[in-house]
Amino acid sequence: MTISHRAIGSGAHKVLVLHDWFGTSAAWGPFLDYLDPKEFAYAFLDYRGYGDRRDVDGRFTLAEIATDALNLADQLGWDTFSVIGHSMGGKAAQRILVEAPRRVRKLVGVAPVPASAYVLEGDAYGLFHGAAQNPPNRRAILDLVTGHRACDRWLDAMTTRSVDVSRPEAVAAYLTDWTTQDFAAKVAGNTLPVKVFIGEHDLALNAEAMRRTWLTHYPQAELETLPNSGHYPMYELPVAFATALEAFLRA
């Protein structure tokens, strides 16, 4: 199966990029305009049920994302590569590391979900599990993770795009998988170079959550808090985020 993707750049450093629960390969905002196409080659994957692969059937799991990502790397002829994962994509990126540890050069988590289970309790459970079928739930989540700071126009646009480019059954299945899967023991102690970016206004995946998980699992992990940003630095501060990201990749 040929796996469609979005490509930016033709540089020697290859990078697989995995989107968030509400996103697609195209949903990285103006950040894409500031990537270095000479030094890096980026491949942005759509998950099954999303974006250009909206009609592709599957089980809609993190393991399936990892398999598709590795097949895409093979399709591109990439033996080794770095991996960037945003939010849910951060957990999927760690599945790639579990499946092919020798192929991953560097790992970047952007407001990333940890390899351990991410328990939703109380009102959060209903809010998130209602999001597959109810656009207002998606909008409320977007508002929450950006610290209740984003304008209505942006929240509306992100909600509409999320609904238009995803299948509800895929959204529901991925949620169940990324909140319940726990493979932290399989990554714990890995000395790969790891960078974790979070936004100072993200009310869900904050610095304390990263210290308990990512920084505990990866001894070499670095944490950078991006000021004046929430869960979506690719939209909230694209130039600063692209600069910081590529500084880590090239170091």
Side-chain angles (χ1 to χ4, degrees):
M1 178 178 63
T2 299
I3 299 176
S4 62
H5 63 286
R6 297 179 189 275
I8 293 179
S10 57
H13 192 146
K14 315 302 184 185
V15 188
L16 287 174
V17 188
L18 307 179
H19 62 76
D20 68 308
W21 183 40
F22 289 159
T24 68
S25 64
W28 288 79
F31 157 82
L32 300 179
D33 295 334
Y34 308 114
L35 298 175
D36 185 341
K38 295 182 179 179
E39 187 168 358
F40 302 97
Y42 294 93
F44 293 77
L45 174 69
D46 275 325
Y47 308 147
R48 299 184 189 213
Y50 282 68
D52 291 342
R53 304 179 73 216
R54 189 179 188 280
D55 295 328
V56 178
D57 291 327
R59 296 187 176 184
F60 309 128
T61 64
L62 300 175
E64 188 174 70
I65 293 172
T67 296
D68 282 355
L70 288 168
N71 286 339
L72 174 58
D74 291 342
Q75 177 183 310
L76 296 170
W78 295 0
D79 293 328
T80 60
F81 43 83
S82 294
V83 187
I84 300 169
H86 176 218
S87 196
M88 177 183 85
K91 191 162 187 172
Q94 295 175 89
R95 276 302 325 177
I96 294 174
L97 184 60
V98 169
E99 300 300 330
R102 297 181 182 276
R103 299 185 68 177
V104 180
R105 293 178 59 176
K106 293 186 175 185
L107 175 64
V108 178
V110 184
V113 175
S116 51
Y118 188 82
V119 179
L120 295 170
E121 298 177 319
D123 292 342
Y125 185 93
L127 178 66
F128 277 72
H129 281 274
Q133 299 292 340
N134 301 297
N137 287 46
R138 301 193 195 199
R139 191 184 191 281
I141 292 167
L142 289 163
D143 190 29
L144 171 70
V145 299
T146 49
H148 306 298
R149 299 164 60 252
C151 65
D152 288 341
R153 184 173 180 182
W154 185 82
L155 291 170
D156 290 342
M158 291 288 284
T159 302
T160 298
R161 177 163 46 199
S162 172
V163 172
D164 289 346
V165 300
S166 63
R167 288 161 56 181
E169 65 269 29
V171 174
Y174 284 125
L175 173 65
T176 297
D177 205 55
W178 70 255
T179 55
T180 61
Q181 286 294 307
D182 185 348
F183 51 90
K186 295 184 177 180
V187 300
N190 192 304
T191 57
L192 184 80
V194 175
K195 185 67 177 273
V196 179
F197 292 98
I198 60 167
E200 68 166 324
H201 298 292
D202 190 336
L203 298 180
L205 292 160
N206 56 26
E208 179 55 34
M210 296 303 105
R211 293 188 184 100
R212 293 196 311 265
T213 56
W214 279 76
L215 271 63
T216 299
H217 301 156
Y218 301 100
Q220 302 299 321
E222 306 171 32
L223 175 65
E224 181 170 344
T225 299
L226 299 169
N228 201 33
S229 181
H231 195 69
Y232 288 88
M234 62 287 295
Y235 287 94
E236 297 174 78
L237 62 168
V239 175
F241 177 47
T243 302
L245 171 67
E246 291 193 331
F248 171 72
L249 291 176
R250 68 168 56 95

